[in-house]
């Protein structure tokens, strides 16, 4: 174990690449640079709101002293920290956006432990060269969401960046939450984010767009050496891209498994390590709806809706392939690797859906049934989390009436007779398949309950916890922090295992969110 203010931080990224070392934080273009140095801007009166003990143990970091809370709020740096903001570019909502970059995230350095090297980043620590017209700050609301959700995703078993700490800053931050001309002051906060790397597809796109072929080659080599060290052959760039394709496909299938909607799948928000990154207007699904998007900015086209995520993953990989195509004389292999996405995704997807339904293996009959489930559930739109947990306990030999009654707690509306009939037929066929399984009923239930979470961080719960915190009360926040550590447990936290209440259906911050954070 080591203390934050004593341990020597490493700075491998900025040692390896050319950056803008001026420390100037005036918004500007920085062609050819991979980062700009940027010191965090001090805050008024930082207070530690949360500390992730599990992650700290994994990283071998001591709990923070009051002096170290100053580090977590950007008020203090140690000698070995060389803070910087990374420069990247990206496609936003399908359009090329040019240079972007860490507008309010500042990397302090790299922390090494026997469990690996982790980058530490303060999100909301003040302006950088890439803040454009914004203030570089983050509000409590969005910071609480990122802190709780990234840790929840980790405990759900979904690849993600992590959150080590959450501090309130004591400063006020002006935000127009719904972009409707009603800005208000909100309490500010900072999340300490952690990941082996925060590199995004957009870092590669930036250098390609600037025709910086040598630097692009250098960044690709660095990424492979450091994060894909098993790739050592001369064809390692293509093998690396194949792995990024595979990791992205896996991530998309995992989001489908737990019902996570990211909300802003721009290429600057796509991790090169296949992690869930940049938590903004995300949401879990309550009712099952492929067209659901939590992001108000996404409403016109629903580009980032739940059901579109896998194909957007592919589209984004296409942008990455395009960027690194500069390094290939012949792009045939690259195109082949990109095209392999579809099969890889569907293999993951059917395997994943099979486990959700308790199948030992997925063949033709199981695939057919999975498709029927998709169709029927899309029509009925039950609460998808409650539905799968109830399904695990489906009584065998049940009549249609008993089946419907058993699943009733998951329905948001009364089912029409036709819907009841279709659902009962589907579940009778499903029960038959379950009975013919080589697995025992107990083994099937265990398999299902390991793959279908019981506790998810619903938006209305986050909303309530944030409202309380803004009033200085942290009871629900602490309960959510505890509950999300055991998302598959069969009991406990009964009050959190409920459908979205009716009041939350249309309430701002519960059903729809904006990027304003
Ligand atoms: P996002 O949609 O949150 O991934 O952000 C897109 C870009 O805008 C990124 O380059 C962010 O760093 C930047 N950005 C978002 N919010 C702020 C803010 N409050 N201050 C400065 N830059 C921001
Ligand atoms: Mg982003």
């Amino acid at each position: 174990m080591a203390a934050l203010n004593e341990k020597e931080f490493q700075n491998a990224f900025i040692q390896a690449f050319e950056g803008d070392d001026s420390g100037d934080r005036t918004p500007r273009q920085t062609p050819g640079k991979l980062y700009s140095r940027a010191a965090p801007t001090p805050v008024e009166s930082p207070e530690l709101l949360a500390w992730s003990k599990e992650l700290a143990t994994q990283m071998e970091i001591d709990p923070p002293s009051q002096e170290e809370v100053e580090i977590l709020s950007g008020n203090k740096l140690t000698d070995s920290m060389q803070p910087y903001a990374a420069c990247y570019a990206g496609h936003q909502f399908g359009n090329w956006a040019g240079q972007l970059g860490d507008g309010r995230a500042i990397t302090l350095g790299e922390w090494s432990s026997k469990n690996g090297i982790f980058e530490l980043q303060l999100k909301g620590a003040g302006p950088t060269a890439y803040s454009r017209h914004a203030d570089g700050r983050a509000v409590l609301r969005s910071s609480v969401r990122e802190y709780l959700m990234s840790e929840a995703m980790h405990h759900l078993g979904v690849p993600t960046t992590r959150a080590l700490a959450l501090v309130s800053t004591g400063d006020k931050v002006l935000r127009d939450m719904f972009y409707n001309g009603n800005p208000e002051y909100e309490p500010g906060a900072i999340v300490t984010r952690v990941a082996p790397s925060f590199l995004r597809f957009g870092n590669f796109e930036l250098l390609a767009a600037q025709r910086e072929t040598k630097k692009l080659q250098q960044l690709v080599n660095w990424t492979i050496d450091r994060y894909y060290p098993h790739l050592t052959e001369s064809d390692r760039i293509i093998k690396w891209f194949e792995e990024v394709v595979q990791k992205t496909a896996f991530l998309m299938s995992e989001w489908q498994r737990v019902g996570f909607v990211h909300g802003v799948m721009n290429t600057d928000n796509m991790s090169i390590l296949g992690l869930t990154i940049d938590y903004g207007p995300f949401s879990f699904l309550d009712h099952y709806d492929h067209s659901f998007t939590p992001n108000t900015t996404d409403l016109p086209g629903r580009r980032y809706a739940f059901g579109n995520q896998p194909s957007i993953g592919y589209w984004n990989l296409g942008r990455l392939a395009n960027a690194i195509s500069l390094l290939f004389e012949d792009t045939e292999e690259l195109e082949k690797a990109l095209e392999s996405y579809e099969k890889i995704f569907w293999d993951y997807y059917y395997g994943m859906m099979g486990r959700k339904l308790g199948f030992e293996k997925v063949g033709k009959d199981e695939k057919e049934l999975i498709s029927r489930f998709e169709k029927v559930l899309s029509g009925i739109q039950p609460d998808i989390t409650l539905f799968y947990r109830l399904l695990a306990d489906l009584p065998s030999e049940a009549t249609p009436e008993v089946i419907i009654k058993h699943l009733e707690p998951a329905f948001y509306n009364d089912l029409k007779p036709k819907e009841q009939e279709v659902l009962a037929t589907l579940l009778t066929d499903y029960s038959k398949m379950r009975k013919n399984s080589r697995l025992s009923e107990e083994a099937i239930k265990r398999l299902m309950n390991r793959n279908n979470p019981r506790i998810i961080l619903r938006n209305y719960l986050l909303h309530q916890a944030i409202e309380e915190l803004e009033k200085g009360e942290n009871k629900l926040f602490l309960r959510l922090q505890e509950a999300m550590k055991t998302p598959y447990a069969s009991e406990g936290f009964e009050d959190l295992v409920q459908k979205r209440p009716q009041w939350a259906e249309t309430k701002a911050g519960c059903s729809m969110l904006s990027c304003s954070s």
Side-chain angles (χ1 to χ4, degrees):
M1 297 295 276
L4 258 180
N5 61 355
E6 278 169 11
K7 189 171 165 112
E8 188 83 11
F9 274 75
Q10 299 177 359
N11 302 285
F13 184 76
I14 58 174
Q15 274 159 17
F17 298 104
E18 186 184 335
D20 181 326
D21 293 326
S22 67
D24 180 5
R25 288 168 299 173
T26 317
R28 63 188 182 281
Q29 296 288 311
T30 56
K33 312 287 184 197
L34 280 90
Y35 62 88
S36 284
R37 292 191 190 245
T41 306
V43 300
E44 183 60 37
S45 50
E47 230 180 274
L48 186 70
L49 296 181
W51 176 255
S52 174
K53 278 197 218 101
E54 291 80 11
L55 177 59
T57 306
Q58 192 190 334
M59 294 174 72
E60 304 176 298
I61 302 190
D62 289 335
S65 62
Q66 189 48 45
E67 191 195 335
E68 285 159 342
V69 173
E70 299 288 327
I71 295 177
L72 300 171
S73 64
N75 282 1
K76 188 181 169 238
L77 294 169
T78 61
D79 292 344
S80 60
M81 291 174 181
Q82 299 193 25
Y84 70 91
C87 188
Y88 47 82
H91 281 81
Q92 300 187 315
F93 294 93
N95 303 308
W96 176 241
Q99 178 187 293
L100 299 163
D102 291 332
R104 53 163 168 181
I106 293 180
T107 300
L108 296 178
E110 298 134 18
W111 176 280
S112 69
S113 74
K114 71 171 187 294
N115 293 312
I117 298 180
F118 303 89
E119 287 184 16
L120 250 76
Q121 205 173 69
L122 302 183
K123 184 168 176 181
T128 73
Y130 310 115
S131 298
R132 298 181 285 176
H133 307 293
D135 57 7
R137 291 299 187 192
V139 295
L140 181 68
R141 158 173 63 83
S142 66
S143 306
V144 168
R145 285 170 51 83
E146 169 141 12
Y147 178 86
L148 284 177
M149 194 58 190
S150 58
E151 287 303 281
M153 288 290 262
H154 166 75
H155 291 290
L156 281 163
V158 182
T160 179
T161 62
R162 305 284 305 270
L164 178 67
L166 169 68
V167 295
S168 57
T169 59
D171 291 332
K172 294 283 178 215
V173 176
L174 192 63
R175 285 289 181 274
D176 188 356
M177 184 167 156
F178 284 99
Y179 304 131
N180 60 3
N182 294 310
E184 279 181 32
Y185 279 102
E186 296 188 46
I190 295 175
V191 172
T192 306
R193 303 200 289 193
V194 172
S197 170
F198 289 94
L199 282 173
R200 305 128 194 276
F201 291 7
N203 294 80
F204 301 85
E205 288 181 274
L206 175 82
L207 296 171
Q210 296 173 343
R211 298 279 144 186
E212 294 274 9
T213 312
K214 256 202 180 134
K215 285 178 185 155
L216 178 64
Q217 178 81 57
Q218 196 197 348
L219 182 63
V220 169
N221 284 341
W222 193 81
T223 305
I224 298 173
D225 288 343
R226 204 171 155 94
Y227 304 107
Y228 296 80
H230 52 285
L231 301 175
T232 52
E233 304 298 317
S234 59
D235 62 349
R236 65 189 203 139
I237 300 187
I238 191 72
K239 288 275 174 291
W240 165 68
F241 182 69
E242 283 170 9
E243 283 199 32
V244 178
V245 168
Q246 175 253 316
K247 282 178 195 294
T248 306
F250 177 68
L251 185 67
M252 293 305 108
S253 125
E254 282 292 274
W255 286 359
Q256 300 298 111
R257 174 173 71 85
V258 298
F260 178 79
V261 199
H262 183 284
V264 206
M265 282 181 70
N266 294 332
T267 56
D268 53 304
N269 291 338
M270 293 294 290
S271 152
I272 204 68
L273 303 183
L275 309 173
T276 311
I277 189 173
D278 272 19
Y279 289 84
F282 65 79
S283 174
F284 273 112
L285 285 185
D286 291 311
H287 64 278
Y288 190 65
D289 177 4
H290 274 236
S291 73
F292 173 71
T293 177
N295 183 358
T296 46
T297 313
D298 190 34
L299 270 183
R302 295 183 186 267
R303 179 181 173 85
Y304 298 142
F306 176 68
N308 286 348
Q309 296 184 125
S311 54
I312 293 293
Y314 167 75
W315 192 89
N316 289 344
L317 283 163
R319 307 287 69 71
L320 176 63
N322 199 40
I324 62 170
S325 68
L326 244 62
L327 307 179
F328 291 80
E329 264 168 36
D330 177 355
T331 55
E332 198 182 320
E333 290 279 296
L334 195 59
E335 282 163 40
K336 228 170 77 195
L338 177 63
E339 294 319 319
S340 70
Y341 176 86
E342 191 167 344
K343 175 166 182 343
I344 296 173
F345 171 75
W346 285 113
D347 284 350
Y348 276 132
Y349 182 78
Y350 280 119
M352 173 278 288
M353 285 301 292
R355 288 185 290 279
K356 277 177 84 74
L357 290 168
F359 299 144
E360 190 192 14
K361 55 176 183 29
V362 178
K364 187 169 159 286
D365 291 349
E366 287 80 4
K367 281 187 182 171
E368 246 175 61
L369 204 76
I370 289 168
S371 302
R372 277 174 67 196
F373 262 96
E374 288 284 316
K375 201 162 160 237
V376 172
L377 296 184
S378 293
I380 295 170
Q381 303 201 338
D383 186 281
I384 202 63
T385 306
L386 295 185
F387 179 86
Y388 277 108
R389 292 295 291 210
L390 290 166
L391 192 66
D393 292 325
L394 193 69
S396 44
E397 319 279 351
T399 62
E401 290 74 29
V402 172
I403 289 177
I404 302 294
K405 187 97 195 117
H406 176 75
L407 294 167
E408 215 165 57
F411 300 146
Y412 282 99
N413 302 302
D414 290 337
L415 298 196
K416 300 188 191 92
K418 183 75 195 157
E419 290 173 332
Q420 293 198 11
E421 191 190 314
V422 174
L423 183 62
T425 310
L426 171 69
L427 294 183
T428 310
D429 292 348
Y430 167 68
S431 293
K432 269 187 219 145
M433 210 178 260
R434 223 163 117 159
K435 226 178 296 157
N436 292 334
S437 169
R438 287 196 325 182
L439 299 178
S440 67
E441 254 305 286
E442 265 319 298
I444 291 175
K445 273 185 206 170
R446 271 203 307 275
L447 176 63
M448 291 178 76
N449 289 341
R450 271 204 310 272
N451 286 279
N452 296 308
R454 173 170 162 273
I455 298 177
I456 53 165
L457 277 184
R458 294 176 190 266
N459 259 341
Y460 86 89
L461 292 170
L462 285 169
H463 179 77
Q464 284 181 318
I466 292 162
E467 272 193 339
E468 277 190 16
L469 276 177
E470 286 177 348
K471 290 182 200 136
E473 166 69 67
N474 67 355
K475 219 166 120 199
L476 182 57
F477 173 80
L478 293 179
R479 255 175 81 67
L480 292 182
Q481 196 182 1
E482 214 37 51
M484 77 196 179
K485 290 179 190 167
T486 52
Y488 302 100
S490 56
E491 52 187 33
F493 299 102
E494 303 303 325
D495 54 317
L496 306 180
V497 188
Q498 308 283 339
K499 275 189 297 205
R500 172 195 61 220
Q502 205 158 14
W503 62 261
E505 221 164 287
T506 50
K507 193 169 169 62
C510 290
S511 56
M512 291 308 295
L513 300 134
S514 74
C515 289
S516 148
S517 56

